[in-house]
């Protein structure tokens, strides 16, 4: 059981750390467009190579999140896995909004703060769901 608790704890810590990476990478992608003037015009401020590197980093981090999510699903309990799925969905939505906004120059700016708040709220719910199980002595599933 100690091994299970250690694996669960490690997966949960890694999962939360990966969400912070996703937020940072999405911000980096979002920052590839900046205001050109006060009339709502935007310009791209990157090379295709820089954009591709950020996209690759996002994809790799999301891949790591999914692998960690699989561990969380395995160790359970179900309410922790469900909370982790909500975090993953919020992170995917954030990155998709940032990617779409950078890719399509005609789109109006998405509400960055709302997307970040959704990720933060999901992270907090995940942390609250996992805390009671980190030091549990018996099987939780």
């Amino acid at each position: 059981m100690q091994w299970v608790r250690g694996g669960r704890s490690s997966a949960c810590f890694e999962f939360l750390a990966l969400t912070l990476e996703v937020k940072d990478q999405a911000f980096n992608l979002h920052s590839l467009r900046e205001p050109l003037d006060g009339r709502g015009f935007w310009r791209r401020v990157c090379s295709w190579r820089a954009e591709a590197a950020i996209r690759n980093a996002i994809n790799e981090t999301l891949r790591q999140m999914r692998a960690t999510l699989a561990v969380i699903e395995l160790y359970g309990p179900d309410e922790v896995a469900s909370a982790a799925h909500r975090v993953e969905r919020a992170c995917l939505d954030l990155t998709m909004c940032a990617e779409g906004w950078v890719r399509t120059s005609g789109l109006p700016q998405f509400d960055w703060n709302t997307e970040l708040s959704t990720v933060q709220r999901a992270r907090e719910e995940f942390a609250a769901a996992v805390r009671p199980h980190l030091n549990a002595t018996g099987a939780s599933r």
Side-chain angles (χ1 to χ4, degrees):
M1 286 314 299
Q2 183 177 1
W3 182 81
V4 169
R5 285 191 305 274
R8 179 187 294 149
S9 296
S10 295
C12 292
F13 295 140
E14 182 177 349
F15 190 75
L16 284 176
L18 288 168
T19 65
L20 294 175
E21 276 189 53
V22 167
K23 286 170 50 176
D24 289 345
Q25 292 163 346
F27 178 78
N28 291 340
L29 186 61
H30 173 265
S31 298
L32 295 179
R33 279 181 60 188
E34 68 177 26
L36 185 59
D37 62 22
R39 295 174 293 178
F41 292 102
W42 298 85
R43 69 181 171 107
R44 292 178 67 91
V45 292
C46 73
S47 69
W48 293 110
R49 184 171 287 161
E51 184 177 338
I54 294 170
R55 287 181 199 273
N56 287 339
I58 288 172
N59 289 336
E60 177 59 22
T61 303
L62 291 172
R63 186 197 64 73
Q64 290 174 356
M65 277 186 79
R66 286 185 198 101
T68 306
L69 179 59
V71 173
I72 293 168
E73 287 176 330
L74 180 65
Y75 288 138
D78 291 340
E79 64 267 14
V80 172
S82 294
H85 277 284
R86 289 190 295 275
V87 172
E88 180 203 23
R89 178 79 260 162
C91 287
L92 285 171
D93 289 347
L94 175 67
T95 60
M96 287 171 39
C97 285
E99 285 188 34
W101 188 67
V102 169
R103 184 179 300 131
T104 308
S105 59
L107 289 178
Q109 184 172 4
F110 67 97
D111 189 349
W112 179 255
N113 291 329
T114 298
E115 296 298 331
L116 281 179
S117 294
T118 301
V119 172
Q120 185 59 36
R121 198 169 33 259
R123 287 182 82 247
E124 290 167 0
E125 290 170 3
F126 173 75
V130 79
R131 274 187 206 106
H133 303 285
L134 288 178
N135 295 317
T137 57
S140 310
R141 194 163 186 148

